[in-house]
Structures are given as structure tokens and as C-alpha cells.
């Protein structure tokens, strides 16, 4: 069923509710500008319809018998067991046998290599004189492409991701030029994945059900042809290096802000925001009809396109509750990301003294049994501004101002991107390796003297600083500090006097670093006798001393 039909049907249901909250809901949905981008950027696929049908002999033969005669010349049949000779095929079609099959690519550009008698060959090339297949119809139970969401043009019938009828329809329908939106924006400058050859955060890679994200040359790369816009990578990203763009979360939050404001204008009480995506019209309409009229449906492109910042913003704007309606087709990886975000949300709500299901995940078919709340936590009239992390902090601060906190510091689940670092300063040499790799500037150098500072609000617990420390003196401490001033202030983590050059007196390095180098290199052949003193010199004086020594002792030039 099309999106237009779905929205129209839900609107018809909303129009039938005429109590005070129902009329307020009608007004809010009419008066609030619909989410969406007018002109999204796109990627283009070109397909000529050449299909590979691959799997066990019986399954391939059964499928081939259903292919219309006019389309049989577009299909290449590959059997992966040795039953092909005994199975009858439609006239004009033949099996190819392959012991191993490797498939990679997307609609219009699938690379297929087969291995038989230890020789690896491009199947499209040897059967059709082309480099690529346009479509893949995979009838095997395990599949030859292992992404939870296979690429566009890949019909995984054997894994029951699509039906045989869908695959048959594709033979005629998927020929031509097709455009698909680019769902995401990527800012590698704020990415916490890697720095200076050290790997840190991999949340986005782990979250993608389409395997569209990878690390290439130590940088996150999104393949737009594989991406199917589930949104889980953007929700999982702690630095907003990846953001959803159809629409972006800021527009979504502004939409919810306006929606609830319009609802209250008409006297609506205790609104509940229901985020949904990819739900069938019948299922959602049936469930919504059994829910109070104060439940306001908000359609997203994908359920995971918004995360914890949007959920808490809705509570700050006056929602009594936020409910996420998940369809049965929600990918496992996407559900896992939502559940991880919900675990963090639950820890925040518990610390505030509220029930964890103020933000709840429910299947579409069980919405009518969801426990619903009738009292709003806040009535915030000002729109939150800033990055998603800043908006979450603002929303939490507003909720905390109306709550009695047992402690100013609360625990968060392992892996949550909130917390601070502990530094064993007695062993820290202030080499600044941690500062160099910090992606959010949570760690900074003092500048005027050897030392570094830390701001908890900015720390995403990516682990880059911990891995970069040559002395192993940094430990991550996941937590959330509810005192905004403390969380946002920049504290000195470690500071010490600078060592002064023994020749010119210029400060040039931390004392602890100089002492550490003298201790470790005292027995080194290059630092015997007076040469060890060079470690206590600034760079300029060190060079002058080396040059002067070589001029006085020319034979030492042979050892350089």
C-alpha cells in the first residue's frame, strides 16, 4: 500500500474522533507543516533486466518454469548442487553448475563470480559477454549475500525476505532507470571512528542492517547504492557525524514542537506522541481506533531515523509519553539500536524518578495493550536549539529541574556515549596523544603550560584517548552528571611546570616527560656521556649541540 493511501486512511480515522482531545488532534495535524524534504539528492540505478537465478537444482527449475517465455532469455540459471542433469527445464534454458558463488553489488551492477574446478570466473562475462548482472534471484536457504537487508535488485526468496511472486514481477518491472534518495549526510571531521591509525567508535557500522557502512583507509564510508535509509546509523552516532536527511532530526523535533503547541491551543490534554513507520494502514488504523484520542500519530520515513534526543524533546514539549510503533519487518540490527537507546532512556527516566515506559517500544499489533500515561512531565513552550547532544542535555535539564534527584551522578548502560575519563596523573607524561585524537574536543591542551583540560558534556566515550595513551593511564567512566554547570565546565585534568632548557632557559616540555626519557634512554648508545644532557635541551639547543660536537669530532659524522 502506498504512503499516500496510508496517510489518507489514518487522517480519515482521526477525523472521526470529535471529543475535545480528538478535535485538538485534528487541528494539530492540519496546522503543522508535514515533514519532508522538497528536493532530496538521489542516486541512480540503471538496469537492463539480466537476472541470475541461483540455488539448488529443484528450486531453480521450479522457479524457471514460472518465468514467462518472453523473459527467459533474460535469466541465467545456476545450480549449486549436482542435480541439474536430472531436472527438466523449460525449452531454451540451461543450467550452469557452480561449486562456489560470490555475489556483490546492487541493482544494475552485481558482480557474480563462480568457482568450478578451482577456476574463478565472472559469470556474466562467460554467459552473456557482460560485466554485471542487473538482478539476483537467490533461492538458497542461507543466501549468497549475507546483509540483513540485501541490496536493491537482490531478491532473497530462499531466506523468505521476499516471495517468488515478487521476484517474478521484478523480471519485467526492474528494467530501466531508477532513482533513490540519499538518506544521509556524513561529516567525517566530527567522526569518532578513528584518529592517527587508532580505531575508536564503530557504532554506525554495527548498526547498519544493509552493510552499507565500512571503514576505508580508517574513515567511515557510506555506499549510497547499498543504503536503504533505516536510520539506525544516525541514531547510533554519538557525534552527529552521520545525520538523517529525509527529513533531518531537527526538522522532526520542530514538527513535534509545533504539533504539541497546536494541540494545546485547542484545549488538548495529556498528548502522547506515537512515532511509526512502515506499518500497514489496516494494522495501525485498527490499533489507533482503540487508543485515546490524545494519541497523536507522527509518521517517520523510518522508525530509527530519530533517537533519544527527539524522544526526550517530545517529553520536554509537553508529551505525557512517547511510544515507538514497530512493524514486524523492523530489521534485527535496527531493533537492537532502538533497544540500546531505550536502555539509556530508561536509566535517565529512572534517575528522574519516572517509569521507564514513559518512552516505550511496542509492536504495531499490540498498541492497544500499551500502558499509557495521562500526566505530562513538563509544559515547555520554547523550542530547544543546538546539536542533538545539546538538545538532549537541555531536555534532561528541564526534566531534572522538576524532579527530586537521589544523586547528581547516575549510572548508564555500558557503551552509552556519556561519561568522563579518569587519568592516573602520577604516571601521565602529558605527551598529548589523547588530546590529539579526541574527536569532540572534550580533551584540550591548556596551551600556556604543559597540561590538559576536560569537559564532560562533550565526551562520547569513544575510547580513542584510552587507546592512544602510551602510558595506559586513562580509563573511561560511563555516567551522567545531572548538574549542568559541572557537566559543562572545563576542568584541568593534569598540569605541571615546563622543563627549562639547561642552555637557554626556554620552557620546552613537561618535566615528567623529560625525566621519563632520561630514565629510559640512559643506557642507549646514542645518549652516553654528555649526550644524555641533550634530552634536557630545547630543540634548537639540541641541534646546535649535535652540530658543534660533530665539528669538534669529525669521526662522529660517520655514525649519523
Amino acid at each position: 500500500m502506498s504512503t499516500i493511501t496510508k496517510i489518507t486512511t489514518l487522517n480519515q480515522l482521526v477525523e472521526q474522533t470529535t471529543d475535545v482531545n480528538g478535535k485538538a488532534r485534528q487541528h494539530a495535524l492540519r496546522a503543522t507543516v508535514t515533514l519532508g524534504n522538497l528536493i532530496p539528492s538521489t542516486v541512480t540505478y540503471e538496469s537492463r533486466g539480466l537476472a541470475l537465478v541461483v540455488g539448488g537444482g529443484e528450486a531453480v527449475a521450479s522457479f524457471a518454469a514460472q518465468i514467462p517465455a518472453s523473459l527467459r532469455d533474460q535469466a541465467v540459471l545456476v545450480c549449486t548442487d549436482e542435480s541439474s542433469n536430472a531436472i527438466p527445464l523449460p525449452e531454451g534454458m540451461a543450467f550452469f553448475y557452480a561449486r562456489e558463488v560470490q555475489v556483490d553489488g546492487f541493482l544494475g551492477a552485481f558482480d557474480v563470480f563462480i568457482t568450478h574446478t578451482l577456476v574463478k570466473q565472472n559469470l556474466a562475462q562467460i554467459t552473456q559477454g557482460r560485466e554485471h548482472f542487473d538482478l539476483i534471484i537467490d533461492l538458497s536457504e542461507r543466501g549468497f549475500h549475507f546483509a540483513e537487508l540485501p541490496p536493491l535488485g537482490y531478491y532473497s526468496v530462499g531466506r523468505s525476505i521476499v516471495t517468488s511472486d515478487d521476484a517474478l514481477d521484478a523480471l519485467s518491472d526492474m528494467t530501466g532507470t531508477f532513482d533513490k534518495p540519499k538518506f544521509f549526510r556524513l561529516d567525517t571531521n566530527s567522526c569518532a571512528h578513528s584518529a592517527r591509525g587508532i580505531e575508536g567508535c564503530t557504532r554506525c557500522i554495527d548498526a547498519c542492517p544493509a552493510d552499507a557502512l565500512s571503514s576505508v583507509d580508517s574513515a567511515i564510508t557510506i555506499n549510497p547504492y547499498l543504503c536503504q535509509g533505516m536510520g539506525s546509523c544516525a541514531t547510533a552516532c554519538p557525534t552527529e557525524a552521520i545525520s538523517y536527511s529525509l527529513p533531518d532530526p531537527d526538522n522532526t523535533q520542530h514538527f513535534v514542537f509545533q504539533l504539541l503547541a497546536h494541540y494545546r491551543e485547542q484545549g488538548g490534554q495529556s498528548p502522547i506522541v506515537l512515532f511509526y513507520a512502515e506499518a500497514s494502514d489496516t494494522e495501525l488504523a485498527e490499533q489507533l481506533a482503540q487508543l485515546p484520542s490524545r494519541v497523536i500519530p507522527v509518521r517517520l520515513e523510518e522508525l530509527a531515523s530519530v533517537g533519544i534526543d527527539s524522544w526526550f524533546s517530545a517529553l520536554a514539549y509537553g508529551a505525557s509519553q512517547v511510544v515507538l510503533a514497530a512493524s514486524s519487518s523492523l530489521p534485527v540490527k535496527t531493533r537492537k539500536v532502538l533497544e540500546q537507546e531505550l536502555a539509556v532512556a530508561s536509566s535517565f527516566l529512572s534517575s528522574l524518578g519516572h517509569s521507564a515506559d514513559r518512552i516505550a517500544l511496542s509492536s504495531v499489533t499490540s498498541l492497544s495493550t500499551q500502558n499509557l500515561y495521562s500526566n505530562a512531565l513538563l509544559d515547555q513552550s520554547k523550542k530547544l536549539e543546538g546539536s542533538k547532544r545539546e538538545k538532549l542535555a537541555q531536555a534532561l535539564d528541564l526534566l531534572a529541574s522538576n524532579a527530586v534527584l537521589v544523586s547528581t551522578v547516575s549510572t548508564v548502560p555500558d557503551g552509552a556515549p556519556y561519561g568522563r575519563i579518569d587519568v592516573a596523573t602520577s604516571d601521565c607524561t602529558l605527551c598529548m596523544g589523547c588530546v590529539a585524537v579526541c574527536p569532540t574536543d572534550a580533551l584540550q591542551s591548556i596551551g600556556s603550560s604543559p597540561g590538559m583540560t576536560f569537559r564532560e558534556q562533550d565526551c562520547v566515550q569513544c575510547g580513542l584517548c584510552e587507546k592512544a595513551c602510551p602510558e595506559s593511564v586513562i580509563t573511561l567512566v560511563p555516567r551522567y552528571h545531572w548538574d549542568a554547570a559541572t557537566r559543562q565546565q572545563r576542568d584541568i585534568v593534569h598540569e605541571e611546570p615546563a622543563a627549562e632548557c639547561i642552555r637557554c632557559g626556554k620552557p620546552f616540555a613537561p618535566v615528567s616527560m623529560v625525566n621519563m626519557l632520561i630514565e629510559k634512554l640512559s643506557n642507549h648508545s646514542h645518549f652516553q656521556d654528555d649526550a644524555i644532557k641533550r634530552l634536557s635541551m630545547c630543540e634548537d639547543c639540541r641541534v646546535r649541540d649535535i652540530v658543534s660536537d660533530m665539528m669538534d669530532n669529525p669521526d662522529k659524522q660517520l655514525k649519523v
Side-chain angles (χ1 to χ4, degrees):
M1 184 175 292
S2 70
T3 298
I4 294 175
T5 304
K6 182 184 296 184
I7 293 173
T8 302
T9 304
L10 289 176
N11 282 346
Q12 289 173 347
L13 175 64
V14 168
E15 293 294 328
Q16 295 172 4
T17 313
T18 57
D19 61 2
V20 173
N21 286 336
K23 288 183 177 180
R25 181 172 67 177
Q26 291 174 23
H27 171 74
L29 291 171
R30 289 186 198 135
T32 309
V33 176
T34 303
L35 299 172
N37 291 351
L38 294 178
I39 309 176
S41 57
T42 61
V43 293
T44 300
Y45 301 84
E46 293 185 2
S47 169
R48 287 188 279 177
L50 177 62
L52 168 68
V53 182
V54 59
E58 290 186 5
V60 173
S62 176
F63 185 88
Q66 301 175 65
I67 300 175
S70 61
L71 298 176
R72 287 174 183 169
D73 61 344
Q74 293 181 212
V76 174
L77 311 180
V78 171
C79 174
T80 55
D81 56 34
E82 298 183 358
S83 62
S84 57
N85 293 332
I87 297 175
L89 291 174
E91 186 177 349
M93 303 191 80
F95 268 130
F96 292 88
Y97 171 71
R99 187 183 304 277
E100 296 178 14
V101 180
Q102 295 178 351
V103 182
D104 193 19
F106 44 84
L107 176 64
F110 283 106
D111 295 316
V112 179
F113 291 93
I114 64 170
T115 301
H116 186 53
T117 61
L118 303 179
V119 178
K120 185 176 180 179
Q121 295 175 291
N122 182 323
L123 184 61
Q125 200 171 65
I126 61 177
T127 60
Q128 301 291 316
R130 291 177 49 185
E131 287 298 313
H132 308 288
F133 282 96
D134 299 299
L135 307 170
I136 304 293
I137 299 170
D138 185 351
L139 305 175
S140 64
E141 292 183 3
R142 292 184 64 247
F144 295 101
H145 195 290
F146 304 110
E148 188 179 354
L149 285 182
L152 293 181
Y154 196 105
Y155 297 85
S156 193
V157 178
R159 288 167 57 194
S160 300
I161 295 177
V162 297
T163 66
S164 291
D165 289 341
D166 292 332
L168 284 167
D169 290 341
L171 291 176
S172 56
D173 295 344
M174 299 303 291
T175 300
T177 301
F178 305 89
D179 290 331
K180 183 198 73 173
K182 284 184 178 178
F183 296 100
F184 296 97
R185 291 186 292 266
L186 176 61
D187 176 13
T188 54
N189 291 327
S190 57
C191 181
H193 171 58
S194 67
R196 301 194 174 196
I198 300 169
E199 184 178 283
C201 176
T202 61
R203 288 184 174 97
C204 60
I205 295 175
D206 300 336
C208 181
D211 292 351
L213 288 92
S214 58
S215 178
V216 179
D217 295 330
S218 298
I220 292 295
T221 299
I222 302 177
N223 186 328
Y225 293 95
L226 298 181
C227 172
Q228 298 185 44
M230 295 307 299
S232 45
C233 61
T235 292
C237 178
T239 65
E240 218 166 352
I242 299 179
S243 57
Y244 202 78
S245 61
L246 198 69
D248 62 63
D250 189 60
N251 285 342
T252 302
Q253 290 183 25
H254 184 60
F255 176 85
V256 173
F257 171 73
Q258 289 185 315
L259 188 74
L260 296 178
H262 290 144
Y263 178 81
R264 288 193 300 268
E265 285 173 4
Q266 296 300 306
Q269 299 292 317
S270 304
I272 293 174
V273 173
L274 172 65
F275 287 122
Y276 74 96
E278 291 189 355
S280 72
D281 179 49
T282 302
E283 287 178 329
L284 190 58
E286 287 177 355
Q287 294 293 314
L288 196 62
Q290 301 178 58
L291 296 175
S293 56
R294 57 193 178 88
V295 176
I296 307 175
V298 177
R299 187 186 189 281
L300 303 171
E301 188 70 22
E302 297 292 348
L303 190 59
S305 64
V306 298
I308 193 170
D309 55 307
S310 296
W311 307 340
F312 274 99
S313 293
L315 294 181
Y317 293 151
S320 300
Q321 190 174 10
V322 173
V323 178
L324 314 174
S327 70
S328 58
S329 62
L330 188 68
V332 173
K333 284 188 176 181
T334 302
R335 178 179 289 274
K336 183 178 179 180
V337 169
L338 290 175
E339 289 173 346
Q340 289 171 338
E341 290 277 285
L342 284 163
V344 177
S346 175
S347 71
F348 288 155
L349 288 166
S350 297
S351 297
L352 293 166
H354 301 304
S355 299
D357 59 352
R358 285 281 182 167
I359 301 175
L361 177 66
S362 172
S363 67
V364 172
T365 54
S366 61
L367 281 172
S368 59
T369 64
Q370 176 65 45
N371 179 41
L372 301 180
Y373 291 87
S374 58
N375 61 310
L377 302 180
L378 284 177
D379 186 9
Q380 172 68 10
S381 59
K382 184 178 180 182
K383 181 176 178 287
L384 305 178
E385 302 289 351
S387 68
K388 75 175 187 179
R389 192 175 183 85
E390 290 168 340
K391 283 181 283 193
L392 172 62
Q394 292 170 43
L396 292 175
D397 289 342
L398 287 167
L399 291 166
S401 67
N402 280 21
V404 179
L405 294 168
V406 176
S407 173
T408 56
V409 177
S410 62
T411 59
V412 294
D414 290 341
Y418 313 98
R420 64 166 293 109
I421 60 170
D422 279 346
V423 180
T425 55
S426 60
D427 296 319
C428 175
T429 61
L430 288 173
C431 67
M432 297 302 169
C434 56
V435 173
V437 298
C438 181
T440 63
D441 290 335
L443 280 167
Q444 291 183 354
S445 62
I446 292 176
S448 58
S449 62
M452 60 184 178
T453 64
F454 176 79
R455 185 172 184 258
E456 185 166 343
Q457 173 68 37
D458 300 328
C459 180
V460 297
Q461 300 282 288
C462 64
L464 283 171
C465 60
E466 186 180 40
K467 293 179 181 178
C469 179
E471 310 302 333
S472 299
V473 299
I474 296 178
T475 304
L476 301 180
V477 184
R479 71 177 198 177
Y480 193 81
H481 205 301
W482 291 96
D483 184 74
T486 301
R487 193 177 65 244
Q488 293 172 11
Q489 74 184 12
R490 183 164 288 281
D491 297 322
I492 295 176
V493 177
H494 185 32
E495 182 181 23
E496 63 180 54
E500 296 179 351
C501 177
I502 58 176
R503 278 200 169 184
C504 69
K506 181 176 73 175
F508 71 97
V511 170
S512 60
M513 181 179 290
V514 174
N515 291 339
M516 180 270 292
L517 290 173
I518 290 174
E519 180 181 352
K520 289 188 174 182
L521 298 176
S522 59
N523 294 322
H524 195 282
S525 59
H526 288 184
F527 293 95
Q528 296 305 302
D529 303 323
D530 287 344
I532 194 69
K533 295 180 180 179
R534 290 172 188 153
L535 296 175
S536 300
M537 299 178 189
C538 68
E539 184 177 354
D540 292 339
C541 291
R542 193 178 308 128
V543 171
R544 292 190 190 100
D545 187 68
I546 292 172
V547 172
S548 176
D549 192 27
M550 286 183 176
M551 292 178 66
D552 294 339
N553 303 281
D555 58 309
K556 289 188 177 182
Q557 297 182 38
L558 300 175
K559 300 180 181 180
V560 176

